[in-house]
Amino acid sequence: MIAAESSIDPEDKDLAFAEPWNARAFALVLALSERGLFTLKDFQGELIDKIGAYEKLGCIRTDEEYYTHWVEALTALLRRRGLLSAEAVSAMEASLVAVAAATREHQHDAAYGPEGKLRVEPLVVFGPGE
């Protein structure tokens, strides 16, 4: 188990996420990059491809749409590198949909402190065999 450190300041007033899962997706990309699974430039290229394909049909209007492409880019990058199978992605998607429906309100309440600011907790990433 490795605790991922980041240069992102959680008190930065300009760093805001509409939903807790947006912050988690952002943090996951940073943590996996810091672990050396890919570079941020690799991720950026994949994200540009995903957004570019979508924008042929229309523009991104919400944070949810943007971070959905963020997760799609991460998934595609991990699959291409052999770190995530298609079956694992399908199983995770089904699980996430079920959990999100049951816990959306709880996640929102738990993610925000009493002053209404998004709490940023330390992120722990497990590597292969850990």
Side-chain angles (χ1 to χ4, degrees):
M1 177 172 57
I2 297 173
E5 297 291 327
S6 177
S7 59
I8 304 277
D9 178 6
E11 298 300 319
D12 184 351
K13 304 275 188 261
D14 294 328
L15 185 61
F17 299 94
E19 295 289 333
W21 74 269
N22 301 159
R24 290 185 190 112
F26 183 87
L28 185 57
V29 167
L30 288 179
L32 294 176
S33 174
E34 289 171 359
R35 289 276 319 245
L37 297 177
F38 53 82
T39 67
L40 288 177
K41 187 171 184 161
D42 293 336
F43 175 76
Q44 179 186 32
E46 192 70 47
L47 182 59
I48 288 169
D49 289 347
K50 294 292 179 197
I51 290 174
Y54 179 81
E55 286 184 336
K56 290 178 182 176
L57 305 172
C59 66
I60 293 175
R61 292 187 173 89
T62 66
D63 284 350
E64 183 172 353
E65 288 177 358
Y66 176 74
Y67 281 102
T68 295
H69 296 299
W70 187 279
V71 171
E72 289 171 352
L74 176 60
T75 302
L77 186 57
L78 293 176
R79 285 183 63 193
R80 189 171 50 259
R81 293 187 177 230
L83 300 169
L84 191 61
S85 70
E87 295 80 20
V89 171
S90 294
M92 284 188 291
E93 287 174 346
S95 175
L96 288 172
V97 167
V99 169
T103 62
R104 182 173 175 87
E105 190 63 35
H106 169 73
Q107 288 177 344
H108 183 272
D109 292 343
Y112 290 89
E115 67 285 341
K117 292 183 181 177
L118 181 64
R119 285 188 249 202
V120 178
E121 300 293 330
L123 177 68
V124 176
V125 177
F126 294 93
E130 293 183 56

PDB file of all heavy atoms in Angstrom, residues 28-65:
ATOM      1  N   LEU A  28      -7.673  10.069  -8.780  1.00  0.00           N
ATOM      2  CA  LEU A  28      -7.230   8.759  -9.244  1.00  0.00           C
ATOM      3  C   LEU A  28      -6.234   8.894 -10.392  1.00  0.00           C
ATOM      4  O   LEU A  28      -5.211   8.213 -10.424  1.00  0.00           O
ATOM      5  CB  LEU A  28      -8.436   7.917  -9.666  1.00  0.00           C
ATOM      6  CG  LEU A  28      -8.148   6.482 -10.067  1.00  0.00           C
ATOM      7  CD1 LEU A  28      -7.450   5.721  -8.947  1.00  0.00           C
ATOM      8  CD2 LEU A  28      -9.436   5.777 -10.465  1.00  0.00           C
ATOM      9  N   VAL A  29      -6.516   9.782 -11.327  1.00  0.00           N
ATOM     10  CA  VAL A  29      -5.588  10.008 -12.437  1.00  0.00           C
ATOM     11  C   VAL A  29      -4.241  10.493 -11.899  1.00  0.00           C
ATOM     12  O   VAL A  29      -3.179   9.993 -12.308  1.00  0.00           O
ATOM     13  CB  VAL A  29      -6.170  10.996 -13.468  1.00  0.00           C
ATOM     14  CG1 VAL A  29      -5.107  11.484 -14.440  1.00  0.00           C
ATOM     15  CG2 VAL A  29      -7.319  10.344 -14.222  1.00  0.00           C
ATOM     16  N   LEU A  30      -4.261  11.448 -10.982  1.00  0.00           N
ATOM     17  CA  LEU A  30      -3.003  11.941 -10.413  1.00  0.00           C
ATOM     18  C   LEU A  30      -2.238  10.831  -9.697  1.00  0.00           C
ATOM     19  O   LEU A  30      -1.029  10.669  -9.874  1.00  0.00           O
ATOM     20  CB  LEU A  30      -3.266  13.091  -9.448  1.00  0.00           C
ATOM     21  CG  LEU A  30      -3.696  14.415 -10.046  1.00  0.00           C
ATOM     22  CD1 LEU A  30      -3.930  15.438  -8.941  1.00  0.00           C
ATOM     23  CD2 LEU A  30      -2.685  14.935 -11.037  1.00  0.00           C
ATOM     24  N   ALA A  31      -2.951  10.049  -8.894  1.00  0.00           N
ATOM     25  CA  ALA A  31      -2.297   8.997  -8.118  1.00  0.00           C
ATOM     26  C   ALA A  31      -1.696   7.921  -9.013  1.00  0.00           C
ATOM     27  O   ALA A  31      -0.563   7.485  -8.792  1.00  0.00           O
ATOM     28  CB  ALA A  31      -3.294   8.376  -7.140  1.00  0.00           C
ATOM     29  N   LEU A  32      -2.427   7.496 -10.028  1.00  0.00           N
ATOM     30  CA  LEU A  32      -1.914   6.454 -10.917  1.00  0.00           C
ATOM     31  C   LEU A  32      -0.744   6.963 -11.750  1.00  0.00           C
ATOM     32  O   LEU A  32       0.207   6.223 -12.021  1.00  0.00           O
ATOM     33  CB  LEU A  32      -3.032   5.916 -11.809  1.00  0.00           C
ATOM     34  CG  LEU A  32      -4.142   5.171 -11.077  1.00  0.00           C
ATOM     35  CD1 LEU A  32      -5.254   4.766 -12.043  1.00  0.00           C
ATOM     36  CD2 LEU A  32      -3.609   3.961 -10.333  1.00  0.00           C
ATOM     37  N   SER A  33      -0.791   8.225 -12.105  1.00  0.00           N
ATOM     38  CA  SER A  33       0.337   8.829 -12.824  1.00  0.00           C
ATOM     39  C   SER A  33       1.565   8.893 -11.922  1.00  0.00           C
ATOM     40  O   SER A  33       2.678   8.565 -12.339  1.00  0.00           O
ATOM     41  CB  SER A  33      -0.040  10.224 -13.324  1.00  0.00           C
ATOM     42  OG  SER A  33       1.075  10.853 -13.886  1.00  0.00           O
ATOM     43  N   GLU A  34       1.360   9.299 -10.684  1.00  0.00           N
ATOM     44  CA  GLU A  34       2.474   9.375  -9.740  1.00  0.00           C
ATOM     45  C   GLU A  34       3.056   7.993  -9.438  1.00  0.00           C
ATOM     46  O   GLU A  34       4.227   7.878  -9.112  1.00  0.00           O
ATOM     47  CB  GLU A  34       2.017  10.079  -8.459  1.00  0.00           C
ATOM     48  CG  GLU A  34       1.785  11.560  -8.676  1.00  0.00           C
ATOM     49  CD  GLU A  34       1.134  12.270  -7.496  1.00  0.00           C
ATOM     50  OE1 GLU A  34       0.827  11.607  -6.485  1.00  0.00           O
ATOM     51  OE2 GLU A  34       0.932  13.489  -7.596  1.00  0.00           O
ATOM     52  N   ARG A  35       2.233   6.958  -9.570  1.00  0.00           N
ATOM     53  CA  ARG A  35       2.719   5.575  -9.395  1.00  0.00           C
ATOM     54  C   ARG A  35       3.516   5.106 -10.608  1.00  0.00           C
ATOM     55  O   ARG A  35       4.105   4.032 -10.589  1.00  0.00           O
ATOM     56  CB  ARG A  35       1.559   4.603  -9.209  1.00  0.00           C
ATOM     57  CG  ARG A  35       0.829   4.678  -7.924  1.00  0.00           C
ATOM     58  CD  ARG A  35       1.403   3.923  -6.767  1.00  0.00           C
ATOM     59  NE  ARG A  35       1.953   2.617  -6.950  1.00  0.00           N
ATOM     60  CZ  ARG A  35       1.479   1.524  -6.446  1.00  0.00           C
ATOM     61  NH1 ARG A  35       0.356   1.556  -5.772  1.00  0.00           N
ATOM     62  NH2 ARG A  35       2.106   0.380  -6.597  1.00  0.00           N
ATOM     63  N   GLY A  36       3.483   5.861 -11.698  1.00  0.00           N
ATOM     64  CA  GLY A  36       4.245   5.504 -12.888  1.00  0.00           C
ATOM     65  C   GLY A  36       3.515   4.616 -13.870  1.00  0.00           C
ATOM     66  O   GLY A  36       4.127   4.088 -14.795  1.00  0.00           O
ATOM     67  N   LEU A  37       2.197   4.465 -13.724  1.00  0.00           N
ATOM     68  CA  LEU A  37       1.447   3.632 -14.651  1.00  0.00           C
ATOM     69  C   LEU A  37       1.274   4.299 -16.011  1.00  0.00           C
ATOM     70  O   LEU A  37       1.067   3.626 -17.019  1.00  0.00           O
ATOM     71  CB  LEU A  37       0.089   3.253 -14.064  1.00  0.00           C
ATOM     72  CG  LEU A  37       0.161   2.407 -12.788  1.00  0.00           C
ATOM     73  CD1 LEU A  37      -1.221   2.145 -12.239  1.00  0.00           C
ATOM     74  CD2 LEU A  37       0.898   1.100 -13.052  1.00  0.00           C
ATOM     75  N   PHE A  38       1.343   5.612 -16.038  1.00  0.00           N
ATOM     76  CA  PHE A  38       1.300   6.402 -17.269  1.00  0.00           C
ATOM     77  C   PHE A  38       1.727   7.815 -16.910  1.00  0.00           C
ATOM     78  O   PHE A  38       1.798   8.168 -15.733  1.00  0.00           O
ATOM     79  CB  PHE A  38      -0.108   6.401 -17.903  1.00  0.00           C
ATOM     80  CG  PHE A  38      -1.207   6.816 -16.970  1.00  0.00           C
ATOM     81  CD1 PHE A  38      -1.478   8.159 -16.736  1.00  0.00           C
ATOM     82  CD2 PHE A  38      -1.969   5.869 -16.313  1.00  0.00           C
ATOM     83  CE1 PHE A  38      -2.484   8.541 -15.864  1.00  0.00           C
ATOM     84  CE2 PHE A  38      -2.989   6.236 -15.449  1.00  0.00           C
ATOM     85  CZ  PHE A  38      -3.239   7.573 -15.226  1.00  0.00           C
ATOM     86  N   THR A  39       1.998   8.613 -17.917  1.00  0.00           N
ATOM     87  CA  THR A  39       2.330  10.020 -17.667  1.00  0.00           C
ATOM     88  C   THR A  39       1.060  10.857 -17.815  1.00  0.00           C
ATOM     89  O   THR A  39       0.095  10.425 -18.461  1.00  0.00           O
ATOM     90  CB  THR A  39       3.394  10.543 -18.646  1.00  0.00           C
ATOM     91  OG1 THR A  39       2.828  10.565 -19.973  1.00  0.00           O
ATOM     92  CG2 THR A  39       4.657   9.684 -18.625  1.00  0.00           C
ATOM     93  N   LEU A  40       1.084  12.032 -17.242  1.00  0.00           N
ATOM     94  CA  LEU A  40      -0.064  12.926 -17.415  1.00  0.00           C
ATOM     95  C   LEU A  40      -0.212  13.327 -18.877  1.00  0.00           C
ATOM     96  O   LEU A  40      -1.325  13.538 -19.353  1.00  0.00           O
ATOM     97  CB  LEU A  40       0.064  14.150 -16.515  1.00  0.00           C
ATOM     98  CG  LEU A  40      -0.145  13.871 -15.028  1.00  0.00           C
ATOM     99  CD1 LEU A  40       0.064  15.141 -14.208  1.00  0.00           C
ATOM    100  CD2 LEU A  40      -1.520  13.288 -14.754  1.00  0.00           C
ATOM    101  N   LYS A  41       0.892  13.373 -19.610  1.00  0.00           N
ATOM    102  CA  LYS A  41       0.828  13.677 -21.044  1.00  0.00           C
ATOM    103  C   LYS A  41       0.093  12.556 -21.782  1.00  0.00           C
ATOM    104  O   LYS A  41      -0.700  12.819 -22.688  1.00  0.00           O
ATOM    105  CB  LYS A  41       2.223  13.880 -21.610  1.00  0.00           C
ATOM    106  CG  LYS A  41       2.226  14.353 -23.033  1.00  0.00           C
ATOM    107  CD  LYS A  41       3.604  14.753 -23.487  1.00  0.00           C
ATOM    108  CE  LYS A  41       3.485  15.293 -24.891  1.00  0.00           C
ATOM    109  NZ  LYS A  41       4.615  16.091 -25.262  1.00  0.00           N
ATOM    110  N   ASP A  42       0.358  11.289 -21.398  1.00  0.00           N
ATOM    111  CA  ASP A  42      -0.371  10.159 -21.987  1.00  0.00           C
ATOM    112  C   ASP A  42      -1.868  10.303 -21.721  1.00  0.00           C
ATOM    113  O   ASP A  42      -2.690  10.127 -22.619  1.00  0.00           O
ATOM    114  CB  ASP A  42       0.094   8.823 -21.388  1.00  0.00           C
ATOM    115  CG  ASP A  42       1.523   8.466 -21.737  1.00  0.00           C
ATOM    116  OD1 ASP A  42       2.037   8.941 -22.764  1.00  0.00           O
ATOM    117  OD2 ASP A  42       2.138   7.707 -20.948  1.00  0.00           O
ATOM    118  N   PHE A  43      -2.208  10.617 -20.481  1.00  0.00           N
ATOM    119  CA  PHE A  43      -3.618  10.774 -20.127  1.00  0.00           C
ATOM    120  C   PHE A  43      -4.240  11.944 -20.887  1.00  0.00           C
ATOM    121  O   PHE A  43      -5.349  11.843 -21.404  1.00  0.00           O
ATOM    122  CB  PHE A  43      -3.804  10.967 -18.620  1.00  0.00           C
ATOM    123  CG  PHE A  43      -5.230  11.236 -18.268  1.00  0.00           C
ATOM    124  CD1 PHE A  43      -6.152  10.210 -18.258  1.00  0.00           C
ATOM    125  CD2 PHE A  43      -5.661  12.520 -18.001  1.00  0.00           C
ATOM    126  CE1 PHE A  43      -7.491  10.452 -17.972  1.00  0.00           C
ATOM    127  CE2 PHE A  43      -6.989  12.777 -17.723  1.00  0.00           C
ATOM    128  CZ  PHE A  43      -7.910  11.745 -17.707  1.00  0.00           C
ATOM    129  N   GLN A  44      -3.510  13.044 -20.962  1.00  0.00           N
ATOM    130  CA  GLN A  44      -4.021  14.222 -21.666  1.00  0.00           C
ATOM    131  C   GLN A  44      -4.354  13.881 -23.117  1.00  0.00           C
ATOM    132  O   GLN A  44      -5.400  14.279 -23.626  1.00  0.00           O
ATOM    133  CB  GLN A  44      -2.991  15.349 -21.618  1.00  0.00           C
ATOM    134  CG  GLN A  44      -3.429  16.597 -22.351  1.00  0.00           C
ATOM    135  CD  GLN A  44      -2.326  17.645 -22.408  1.00  0.00           C
ATOM    136  OE1 GLN A  44      -1.136  17.311 -22.466  1.00  0.00           O
ATOM    137  NE2 GLN A  44      -2.715  18.899 -22.393  1.00  0.00           N
ATOM    138  N   GLY A  45      -3.477  13.137 -23.781  1.00  0.00           N
ATOM    139  CA  GLY A  45      -3.733  12.747 -25.168  1.00  0.00           C
ATOM    140  C   GLY A  45      -4.993  11.913 -25.299  1.00  0.00           C
ATOM    141  O   GLY A  45      -5.802  12.116 -26.211  1.00  0.00           O
ATOM    142  N   GLU A  46      -5.172  10.970 -24.371  1.00  0.00           N
ATOM    143  CA  GLU A  46      -6.364  10.127 -24.389  1.00  0.00           C
ATOM    144  C   GLU A  46      -7.618  10.957 -24.127  1.00  0.00           C
ATOM    145  O   GLU A  46      -8.647  10.775 -24.782  1.00  0.00           O
ATOM    146  CB  GLU A  46      -6.232   9.030 -23.325  1.00  0.00           C
ATOM    147  CG  GLU A  46      -7.254   7.941 -23.426  1.00  0.00           C
ATOM    148  CD  GLU A  46      -7.063   7.054 -24.646  1.00  0.00           C
ATOM    149  OE1 GLU A  46      -5.934   6.617 -24.912  1.00  0.00           O
ATOM    150  OE2 GLU A  46      -8.078   6.790 -25.320  1.00  0.00           O
ATOM    151  N   LEU A  47      -7.538  11.901 -23.187  1.00  0.00           N
ATOM    152  CA  LEU A  47      -8.683  12.757 -22.874  1.00  0.00           C
ATOM    153  C   LEU A  47      -9.041  13.644 -24.071  1.00  0.00           C
ATOM    154  O   LEU A  47     -10.217  13.808 -24.403  1.00  0.00           O
ATOM    155  CB  LEU A  47      -8.388  13.614 -21.637  1.00  0.00           C
ATOM    156  CG  LEU A  47      -9.503  14.524 -21.153  1.00  0.00           C
ATOM    157  CD1 LEU A  47     -10.753  13.730 -20.792  1.00  0.00           C
ATOM    158  CD2 LEU A  47      -9.029  15.353 -19.957  1.00  0.00           C
ATOM    159  N   ILE A  48      -8.037  14.179 -24.730  1.00  0.00           N
ATOM    160  CA  ILE A  48      -8.286  15.009 -25.923  1.00  0.00           C
ATOM    161  C   ILE A  48      -8.995  14.191 -26.991  1.00  0.00           C
ATOM    162  O   ILE A  48      -9.935  14.662 -27.633  1.00  0.00           O
ATOM    163  CB  ILE A  48      -6.966  15.615 -26.440  1.00  0.00           C
ATOM    164  CG1 ILE A  48      -6.483  16.708 -25.479  1.00  0.00           C
ATOM    165  CG2 ILE A  48      -7.125  16.151 -27.862  1.00  0.00           C
ATOM    166  CD1 ILE A  48      -5.062  17.180 -25.741  1.00  0.00           C
ATOM    167  N   ASP A  49      -8.567  12.939 -27.172  1.00  0.00           N
ATOM    168  CA  ASP A  49      -9.218  12.065 -28.157  1.00  0.00           C
ATOM    169  C   ASP A  49     -10.682  11.821 -27.797  1.00  0.00           C
ATOM    170  O   ASP A  49     -11.555  11.901 -28.663  1.00  0.00           O
ATOM    171  CB  ASP A  49      -8.493  10.719 -28.253  1.00  0.00           C
ATOM    172  CG  ASP A  49      -7.128  10.832 -28.918  1.00  0.00           C
ATOM    173  OD1 ASP A  49      -6.826  11.883 -29.532  1.00  0.00           O
ATOM    174  OD2 ASP A  49      -6.350   9.861 -28.803  1.00  0.00           O
ATOM    175  N   LYS A  50     -10.952  11.516 -26.518  1.00  0.00           N
ATOM    176  CA  LYS A  50     -12.327  11.228 -26.086  1.00  0.00           C
ATOM    177  C   LYS A  50     -13.219  12.456 -26.236  1.00  0.00           C
ATOM    178  O   LYS A  50     -14.344  12.359 -26.730  1.00  0.00           O
ATOM    179  CB  LYS A  50     -12.360  10.746 -24.631  1.00  0.00           C
ATOM    180  CG  LYS A  50     -11.704   9.423 -24.398  1.00  0.00           C
ATOM    181  CD  LYS A  50     -12.467   8.309 -25.054  1.00  0.00           C
ATOM    182  CE  LYS A  50     -11.776   6.984 -24.823  1.00  0.00           C
ATOM    183  NZ  LYS A  50     -12.231   5.949 -25.734  1.00  0.00           N
ATOM    184  N   ILE A  51     -12.722  13.598 -25.810  1.00  0.00           N
ATOM    185  CA  ILE A  51     -13.518  14.829 -25.910  1.00  0.00           C
ATOM    186  C   ILE A  51     -13.700  15.226 -27.369  1.00  0.00           C
ATOM    187  O   ILE A  51     -14.789  15.635 -27.781  1.00  0.00           O
ATOM    188  CB  ILE A  51     -12.880  15.955 -25.077  1.00  0.00           C
ATOM    189  CG1 ILE A  51     -13.038  15.635 -23.584  1.00  0.00           C
ATOM    190  CG2 ILE A  51     -13.506  17.311 -25.419  1.00  0.00           C
ATOM    191  CD1 ILE A  51     -12.326  16.599 -22.656  1.00  0.00           C
ATOM    192  N   GLY A  52     -12.644  15.090 -28.159  1.00  0.00           N
ATOM    193  CA  GLY A  52     -12.736  15.429 -29.580  1.00  0.00           C
ATOM    194  C   GLY A  52     -13.795  14.612 -30.298  1.00  0.00           C
ATOM    195  O   GLY A  52     -14.571  15.139 -31.106  1.00  0.00           O
ATOM    196  N   ALA A  53     -13.844  13.314 -30.011  1.00  0.00           N
ATOM    197  CA  ALA A  53     -14.848  12.451 -30.633  1.00  0.00           C
ATOM    198  C   ALA A  53     -16.255  12.878 -30.217  1.00  0.00           C
ATOM    199  O   ALA A  53     -17.175  12.915 -31.034  1.00  0.00           O
ATOM    200  CB  ALA A  53     -14.595  10.992 -30.250  1.00  0.00           C
ATOM    201  N   TYR A  54     -16.428  13.230 -28.948  1.00  0.00           N
ATOM    202  CA  TYR A  54     -17.732  13.653 -28.457  1.00  0.00           C
ATOM    203  C   TYR A  54     -18.149  14.996 -29.066  1.00  0.00           C
ATOM    204  O   TYR A  54     -19.309  15.189 -29.428  1.00  0.00           O
ATOM    205  CB  TYR A  54     -17.708  13.755 -26.926  1.00  0.00           C
ATOM    206  CG  TYR A  54     -19.026  14.202 -26.347  1.00  0.00           C
ATOM    207  CD1 TYR A  54     -20.064  13.297 -26.176  1.00  0.00           C
ATOM    208  CD2 TYR A  54     -19.240  15.524 -25.987  1.00  0.00           C
ATOM    209  CE1 TYR A  54     -21.281  13.704 -25.658  1.00  0.00           C
ATOM    210  CE2 TYR A  54     -20.454  15.936 -25.465  1.00  0.00           C
ATOM    211  CZ  TYR A  54     -21.469  15.014 -25.299  1.00  0.00           C
ATOM    212  OH  TYR A  54     -22.675  15.428 -24.791  1.00  0.00           O
ATOM    213  N   GLU A  55     -17.202  15.902 -29.181  1.00  0.00           N
ATOM    214  CA  GLU A  55     -17.543  17.245 -29.658  1.00  0.00           C
ATOM    215  C   GLU A  55     -17.915  17.277 -31.133  1.00  0.00           C
ATOM    216  O   GLU A  55     -18.440  18.283 -31.604  1.00  0.00           O
ATOM    217  CB  GLU A  55     -16.411  18.218 -29.341  1.00  0.00           C
ATOM    218  CG  GLU A  55     -16.383  18.545 -27.860  1.00  0.00           C
ATOM    219  CD  GLU A  55     -15.348  19.587 -27.488  1.00  0.00           C
ATOM    220  OE1 GLU A  55     -14.350  19.749 -28.222  1.00  0.00           O
ATOM    221  OE2 GLU A  55     -15.541  20.244 -26.447  1.00  0.00           O
ATOM    222  N   LYS A  56     -17.701  16.193 -31.852  1.00  0.00           N
ATOM    223  CA  LYS A  56     -18.200  16.111 -33.230  1.00  0.00           C
ATOM    224  C   LYS A  56     -19.719  16.045 -33.231  1.00  0.00           C
ATOM    225  O   LYS A  56     -20.360  16.394 -34.204  1.00  0.00           O
ATOM    226  CB  LYS A  56     -17.609  14.891 -33.940  1.00  0.00           C
ATOM    227  CG  LYS A  56     -16.142  15.040 -34.232  1.00  0.00           C
ATOM    228  CD  LYS A  56     -15.579  13.804 -34.896  1.00  0.00           C
ATOM    229  CE  LYS A  56     -14.082  14.010 -35.127  1.00  0.00           C
ATOM    230  NZ  LYS A  56     -13.446  12.813 -35.680  1.00  0.00           N
ATOM    231  N   LEU A  57     -20.285  15.593 -32.107  1.00  0.00           N
ATOM    232  CA  LEU A  57     -21.739  15.468 -31.969  1.00  0.00           C
ATOM    233  C   LEU A  57     -22.363  16.638 -31.219  1.00  0.00           C
ATOM    234  O   LEU A  57     -23.547  16.904 -31.338  1.00  0.00           O
ATOM    235  CB  LEU A  57     -22.078  14.164 -31.235  1.00  0.00           C
ATOM    236  CG  LEU A  57     -21.512  12.889 -31.853  1.00  0.00           C
ATOM    237  CD1 LEU A  57     -21.745  11.694 -30.928  1.00  0.00           C
ATOM    238  CD2 LEU A  57     -22.126  12.641 -33.217  1.00  0.00           C
ATOM    239  N   GLY A  58     -21.580  17.313 -30.390  1.00  0.00           N
ATOM    240  CA  GLY A  58     -22.085  18.421 -29.584  1.00  0.00           C
ATOM    241  C   GLY A  58     -21.032  18.837 -28.580  1.00  0.00           C
ATOM    242  O   GLY A  58     -19.998  18.191 -28.442  1.00  0.00           O
ATOM    243  N   CYS A  59     -21.286  19.926 -27.875  1.00  0.00           N
ATOM    244  CA  CYS A  59     -20.286  20.404 -26.919  1.00  0.00           C
ATOM    245  C   CYS A  59     -20.576  19.858 -25.512  1.00  0.00           C
ATOM    246  O   CYS A  59     -21.691  19.450 -25.209  1.00  0.00           O
ATOM    247  CB  CYS A  59     -20.238  21.926 -26.898  1.00  0.00           C
ATOM    248  SG  CYS A  59     -21.727  22.691 -26.272  1.00  0.00           S
ATOM    249  N   ILE A  60     -19.546  19.869 -24.703  1.00  0.00           N
ATOM    250  CA  ILE A  60     -19.681  19.447 -23.308  1.00  0.00           C
ATOM    251  C   ILE A  60     -20.300  20.598 -22.538  1.00  0.00           C
ATOM    252  O   ILE A  60     -19.783  21.707 -22.550  1.00  0.00           O
ATOM    253  CB  ILE A  60     -18.306  19.057 -22.739  1.00  0.00           C
ATOM    254  CG1 ILE A  60     -17.805  17.803 -23.455  1.00  0.00           C
ATOM    255  CG2 ILE A  60     -18.389  18.836 -21.229  1.00  0.00           C
ATOM    256  CD1 ILE A  60     -16.426  17.389 -23.061  1.00  0.00           C
ATOM    257  N   ARG A  61     -21.403  20.314 -21.868  1.00  0.00           N
ATOM    258  CA  ARG A  61     -22.140  21.380 -21.183  1.00  0.00           C
ATOM    259  C   ARG A  61     -22.041  21.330 -19.667  1.00  0.00           C
ATOM    260  O   ARG A  61     -22.337  22.310 -19.004  1.00  0.00           O
ATOM    261  CB  ARG A  61     -23.601  21.318 -21.599  1.00  0.00           C
ATOM    262  CG  ARG A  61     -23.818  21.676 -23.050  1.00  0.00           C
ATOM    263  CD  ARG A  61     -25.303  21.767 -23.360  1.00  0.00           C
ATOM    264  NE  ARG A  61     -25.505  22.272 -24.690  1.00  0.00           N
ATOM    265  CZ  ARG A  61     -25.577  21.518 -25.775  1.00  0.00           C
ATOM    266  NH1 ARG A  61     -25.476  20.211 -25.676  1.00  0.00           N
ATOM    267  NH2 ARG A  61     -25.763  22.055 -26.957  1.00  0.00           N
ATOM    268  N   THR A  62     -21.678  20.181 -19.106  1.00  0.00           N
ATOM    269  CA  THR A  62     -21.691  20.056 -17.648  1.00  0.00           C
ATOM    270  C   THR A  62     -20.413  19.405 -17.151  1.00  0.00           C
ATOM    271  O   THR A  62     -19.695  18.746 -17.909  1.00  0.00           O
ATOM    272  CB  THR A  62     -22.875  19.185 -17.179  1.00  0.00           C
ATOM    273  OG1 THR A  62     -22.676  17.843 -17.652  1.00  0.00           O
ATOM    274  CG2 THR A  62     -24.207  19.728 -17.669  1.00  0.00           C
ATOM    275  N   ASP A  63     -20.150  19.572 -15.863  1.00  0.00           N
ATOM    276  CA  ASP A  63     -19.023  18.885 -15.233  1.00  0.00           C
ATOM    277  C   ASP A  63     -19.204  17.374 -15.340  1.00  0.00           C
ATOM    278  O   ASP A  63     -18.237  16.642 -15.534  1.00  0.00           O
ATOM    279  CB  ASP A  63     -18.900  19.269 -13.759  1.00  0.00           C
ATOM    280  CG  ASP A  63     -18.305  20.651 -13.556  1.00  0.00           C
ATOM    281  OD1 ASP A  63     -17.806  21.241 -14.529  1.00  0.00           O
ATOM    282  OD2 ASP A  63     -18.344  21.142 -12.413  1.00  0.00           O
ATOM    283  N   GLU A  64     -20.439  16.913 -15.207  1.00  0.00           N
ATOM    284  CA  GLU A  64     -20.687  15.469 -15.292  1.00  0.00           C
ATOM    285  C   GLU A  64     -20.264  14.920 -16.649  1.00  0.00           C
ATOM    286  O   GLU A  64     -19.624  13.870 -16.732  1.00  0.00           O
ATOM    287  CB  GLU A  64     -22.158  15.159 -15.034  1.00  0.00           C
ATOM    288  CG  GLU A  64     -22.434  13.668 -15.036  1.00  0.00           C
ATOM    289  CD  GLU A  64     -23.846  13.328 -14.587  1.00  0.00           C
ATOM    290  OE1 GLU A  64     -24.584  14.215 -14.147  1.00  0.00           O
ATOM    291  OE2 GLU A  64     -24.173  12.143 -14.679  1.00  0.00           O
ATOM    292  N   GLU A  65     -20.592  15.626 -17.723  1.00  0.00           N
ATOM    293  CA  GLU A  65     -20.172  15.189 -19.057  1.00  0.00           C
ATOM    294  C   GLU A  65     -18.647  15.200 -19.167  1.00  0.00           C
ATOM    295  O   GLU A  65     -18.049  14.262 -19.694  1.00  0.00           O
ATOM    296  CB  GLU A  65     -20.774  16.086 -20.136  1.00  0.00           C
ATOM    297  CG  GLU A  65     -22.250  15.890 -20.341  1.00  0.00           C
ATOM    298  CD  GLU A  65     -22.831  16.856 -21.363  1.00  0.00           C
ATOM    299  OE1 GLU A  65     -22.100  17.721 -21.897  1.00  0.00           O
ATOM    300  OE2 GLU A  65     -24.038  16.748 -21.630  1.00  0.00           O
TER     301      GLU A  65
END
